[in-house]
Amino acid sequence: MRLKELEGYLQDVAVFKSPKIKLEQYPTTPHLAARMLYTAHTTYDDIENKAVGDFGCGCGILSIAAAMLGSAYNVGFDIDPDAIAIAQDNCAEFEIEMDFILTDISASPAPSVSDGSSSNSRGPYEMMKGKLDTIVMNPPFGTKLKGIDMVFLKKGIDLANHAVYSLHKTSTREHVLKKAKEWGVECEVVAELRYNLDKSYEFHRKQSLDIAVDFLRFEKKPPQTKHAA
């Protein structure tokens, strides 16, 4: 599938009708989603036949793109049941199978918030450890809850078996690279992109806002084997 073809399909993904500012719900544009997943697929081989997790999946556009590029399994994590309902409708429209986990990624540990049961003390996040090859995300930038972008990123790095793809404000690049080094993962600035945000909330004065963002790839280094003396 060509890049433009993928972006064209993603134009039909439904987005939030009533976005929640507290959760920084801004839909990932088809332009960004297509480029993120197409690059992960064609340049790094991190999508086809891989198990892919989508942090803060929202309306599911990143997972839908992954599925269209041949991912073996998709699961979305989100705190908002309304967002998951939209994503489920989108998946049904595209005839894509995807699992969803209703959970608060920012909590430690990330609990299930779908019901009050305690059938597994580890929770759904911990149960997915070792099962996902690649994590993709467009995390909250932290305008409402400072630092939440890095919480999402660290959780993704902990959960992924191999690679994490994420969008972050270009203005935070130095901080993100520093944290990646502290966490012992390789970080590559894959591309500098423009995130065009249409007016989503009443307090927005402009009809659209153009934000410089980094498309980043994080790769976990294989554990070093100790040689006998």
Side-chain angles (χ1 to χ4, degrees), residues 110-125:
S112 171
V113 294
S114 56
D115 55 50
S117 66
S118 56
S119 57
N120 192 300
S121 60
R122 292 190 299 161
Y125 171 86

Side-chain angles (χ1 to χ4, degrees), residues 19-32:
K20 300 171 183 176
I21 184 60
K22 183 179 179 181
L23 300 178
E24 296 187 46
Q25 289 180 334
Y26 296 95
T28 306
T29 65
H31 178 80
L32 285 179

Side-chain angles (χ1 to χ4, degrees), residues 44 46 157 161-164 184-188 217-222:
Y44 300 98
D46 283 330
I157 289 170
N161 289 339
H162 182 61
V164 175
V185 295
E186 297 178 357
C187 178
E188 177 183 356
R217 179 181 186 268
F218 302 83
E219 183 173 341
K220 301 178 80 168
K221 299 175 183 178

Side-chain angles (χ1 to χ4, degrees), residues 14-114:
V15 298
F16 304 107
K17 293 181 179 179
S18 301
K20 300 171 183 176
I21 184 60
K22 183 179 179 181
L23 300 178
E24 296 187 46
Q25 289 180 334
Y26 296 95
T28 306
T29 65
H31 178 80
L32 285 179
R35 276 150 184 78
M36 287 178 67
L37 274 297
Y38 190 81
T39 301
H41 169 59
T42 60
T43 303
Y44 300 98
D45 192 27
D46 283 330
I47 302 299
E48 188 174 8
N49 297 322
K50 302 296 193 298
V52 180
D54 185 352
F55 272 20
C57 65
C59 303
I61 192 169
L62 297 182
S63 292
I64 290 171
M68 295 184 76
L69 293 170
S71 57
Y73 173 72
N74 292 283
V75 58
F77 300 75
D78 207 287
I79 193 174
D80 182 17
D82 296 329
I84 288 180
I86 297 172
Q88 289 173 324
D89 288 343
N90 281 327
C91 287
E93 189 69 25
F94 280 84
E95 299 182 350
I96 286 171
E97 292 186 5
M98 178 177 174
D99 288 337
F100 294 93
I101 295 177
L102 188 62
T103 187
D104 182 0
I105 291 294
S106 66
S108 183
S112 171
V113 294
S114 56

Side-chain angles (χ1 to χ4, degrees), residues 55-56 105-106 137 139-140 148-157:
F55 272 20
I105 291 294
S106 66
M137 69 176 88
I148 193 171
D149 54 336
M150 301 309 294
V151 172
F152 268 61
L153 181 56
K154 183 61 165 64
K155 289 284 185 70
I157 289 170

